[in-house]
Amino acid sequence: MGALGRWLRTTFDYNPTFPLSALALLVGLRLLDREGGLDTGTVGGAAGGVGLLEAYELALLGVALLFLWPRRIAYETTSILIIAAVVRFAAPFAVASAAADLGGAGEGAGGLAAVLGLGLALSVLMPAKLAWVHRRVGLELAPWERRLDAGLYAACALGLPLLAERLAAWTGGALSHAGARALHLALWWGAALALAPLARGLPDLVGARPGPLRSRVPAAVWRGTVALAVPALLANALWLGGESSTPLQILPAALVLVAVGGAIARAAGVDADRVLAHAPGLAALVVVVAPAEWLLGRGAPLARPGALLLFLPVAAALVPLVAPTCLRAGWATVGLALAAAPLAVLPDVHAAEGYLLALAAATAGVGAWRRHDLLVGGGALATATLAAHLAWREAGGLGGTDA
C-alpha cells in the first residue's frame, strides 16, 4: 500500500485532471482529423475544431474564475491558467491550415473570407478572455504586456492564415523562389523584433509578492508560451505556403527566444548570463562557417558576404537583450566572429594567410596599447609563426615557387 498511498497523495497534491483533459482534447481532435470526421483543412472542419477548442478553453477558465479562485484554491487556478496559455494557440494552427488549403486549391474569395472571419473572431475573443482573467484574478500583467499579447495573437490568428493562403497561391507563380526567400527573411526578422519586448521588464519571481497567486509565475509562463508559439505558428504558415525556412532567417528569432528564457531565469534567481552572453557570437560564427546552401537555402537572394553584413550588426545589438549583465563577454564573442568573417569571403588560401598575419600583428599592437600581456604574447607568437610559414613557402619549402 506504500506505493499506492504515495500515488494517491501525489494525485491529490498535484491534481492532474486539467492537464490530462487538455491532452485528451488535442489527441481527440487529431484523431478526428486523421479519420476524416473533422477535416480541419476545410472551412467547416476548421470552424468545428476552433469551436471545440474555444468552448473547452472557456469552460476551463470558467471553472477557475467562477469556482476555484473565489475559494482561493490557488494551485488548480494556476494550473488552469498555464494550460489556457498553451491551448489558446491551437486554434490559429487550425485556421492557418484551412487558409493554406484554400490557397493551394485556388478556391474563391468566399472560403477565404470565412476563414479570416474565424481569425478575426479569435483576435477579438482573446483580449476579452485575458481581460476577464485580469479582472477576476488580478493577474500581474502590465498594460503593455496585455497590448503586446493582443497584437501578437491577432497576427497569429488573422495575419498568418492570410499569409499562408497567399503564399500557397503565389509560390512558383507570381512569387519567385528568390522573392519567397527574401519575404521569409523579412518576416522572421520582423517576428524577432516584435518578440524582443518579452525579454524585458520581468521582476523577481522568487520572493513573496503581494497580490493574487503571490507571484508573477503565471504571467511569466504566459510570456514564455507566446515566445514559443509565435515562431512555431510562423514556421507552420510558411511551410504550409510551400517553403521551408533557412537558418539565417530563423537565427534572430532563436536569439530572442534565448533572451526570453534568460529573462525568466534571472527573475527566478538563476544567473545564466555568463553562458547566454556567448549565444549571439556563436550564432554569428555559424553564419561565418556554415555551408552556404544549408545556411541560405537554394536560390537565396543574397550570398554569404551579404548575410554577414546583415547578421553581424544584429548579433551585436542582441547582446544587451540576451545577457544585460555580461555585455563585455558577449561583445567579445561577436568580435571573434567579426574577426573570422573575412576568412569566409577571401578568394584563396594565400589571401587568408595574409589576413591572418595582419590580424595577429594588430592583436599584438592592441595588447601593447592596452598593456595586456596575453594579447601581446599571443599576437606576437601568431605573427612570428605566420611570418615564418610565409617565408618558408616563398623560399620553396612548400613548393610555392614551383608553379
Side-chain angles (χ1 to χ4, degrees), residues 18 56-85 129 132-139 212-213 218 222:
F18 300 119
Y56 170 77
E57 190 180 344
L58 287 171
L60 271 185
L61 291 176
V63 169
L65 303 181
L66 301 178
F67 297 99
L68 295 177
W69 183 243
R71 294 165 176 81
R72 293 302 184 264
I73 303 175
Y75 178 80
E76 279 78 6
T77 301
T78 303
S79 177
I80 286 178
L81 292 179
I82 292 172
I83 293 168
K129 288 185 289 187
W132 188 30
V133 172
H134 186 265
R135 185 173 61 253
R136 296 287 299 187
V137 180
L139 195 63
L213 304 181
W222 203 280

Side-chain angles (χ1 to χ4, degrees), residues 41-44 46-47 95 98-103 106-119 161 165:
T42 65
V43 176
V95 176
D101 287 347
L102 289 173
E107 297 188 15
L112 177 60
V115 170
L116 294 181
L118 282 176
E165 191 274 338

Side-chain angles (χ1 to χ4, degrees), residues 327-346:
L327 298 180
R328 181 174 296 182
W331 281 325
T333 311
V334 175
L336 178 63
L338 178 62
L343 297 176
V345 298
L346 289 173

Side-chain angles (χ1 to χ4, degrees), residues 29 70 102 311 332:
L29 287 175
L102 289 173
F311 187 76

Side-chain angles (χ1 to χ4, degrees), residues 275-294:
V275 176
L276 299 182
H278 303 290
L282 293 176
L285 284 172
V286 169
V287 178
V288 172
V289 303
E293 184 172 335
W294 175 81

